[in-house]
Amino acid sequence: RTDPTWSAGPKHGATSSPWIMFPNTSETPVVLFRVWLTAVLKSMAQIAFSNRAGDGVVIAAAIAFVGPWNALGALVGAALGTTAERFHGQGDRSLWGEGLCGVNPAILGILWGGVLSHLDGKSLLFLFAVLVCVALEQPVRNLLGRWDLPVLAVPALLCGWGSSIVFAAFGAQE
């Protein structure tokens, strides 16, 4: 499936929409927000291998029950990853609508829950880690695609391990 609101950019003779994330669309901001929110919630659902936005709400609630900071990290990660991939958008555009572009940043947010709970300067590094995770998504997808292997959580785990190594190198507690 393709996302009908996705466009690669202005076509010859077309006018550009003021909505940067959704160029060349005449949709209202409310509809655009619903499309984005659905993609974020599907990213949360993809953590448990589902693609229904309603399941994303249940999964976020379950994570919040166990660790509120982990749930916040997952939601922020899913939102940032979904938004960043919308701007970056070099991969399969149908993956965005199914929530597959925000699942790895959401998993990374779960991993970073303990760091985020301290609300100190290290918490700001989460934004950098999410951007690295988004940047790793396509190269990992291409590499594993050679052998018909799924990406699963490889980018999130690489970023999580890298974060742990950086924190250990500078003597910080996670």
Side-chain angles (χ1 to χ4, degrees), residues 41-165:
L41 291 175
K42 284 184 175 185
S43 293
M44 292 298 296
Q46 288 288 349
I47 293 171
F49 302 105
S50 175
N51 67 346
R52 295 183 3 210
D55 292 347
V57 173
V58 172
I59 290 166
I63 296 170
F65 180 74
V66 175
W69 286 101
N70 301 78
L72 179 65
L75 287 168
V76 169
L80 289 174
T82 300
T83 303
E85 190 62 36
R86 189 64 157 187
F87 283 114
H88 186 253
Q90 292 183 5
D92 184 357
R93 294 179 180 149
S94 65
L95 298 178
W96 188 88
E98 293 299 319
L100 291 171
C101 294
V103 67
N104 276 300
I107 292 170
L108 185 64
I110 294 170
L111 297 175
W112 271 71
V115 176
L116 296 174
S117 69
H118 296 296
L119 295 176
D120 59 6
K122 291 182 295 194
S123 298
L124 294 176
L125 293 174
F126 176 60
L127 300 175
F128 177 71
V130 167
L131 292 177
V132 170
C133 188
V134 169
L136 283 175
E137 183 84 24
Q138 194 61 42
V140 169
R141 188 174 303 284
N142 291 340
L143 178 68
L144 295 177
R146 292 180 189 169
W147 301 289
D148 292 328
L149 295 172
V151 173
L152 296 177
V154 172
L157 293 174
L158 290 174
C159 288
W161 290 333
S163 300
S164 292
I165 291 168

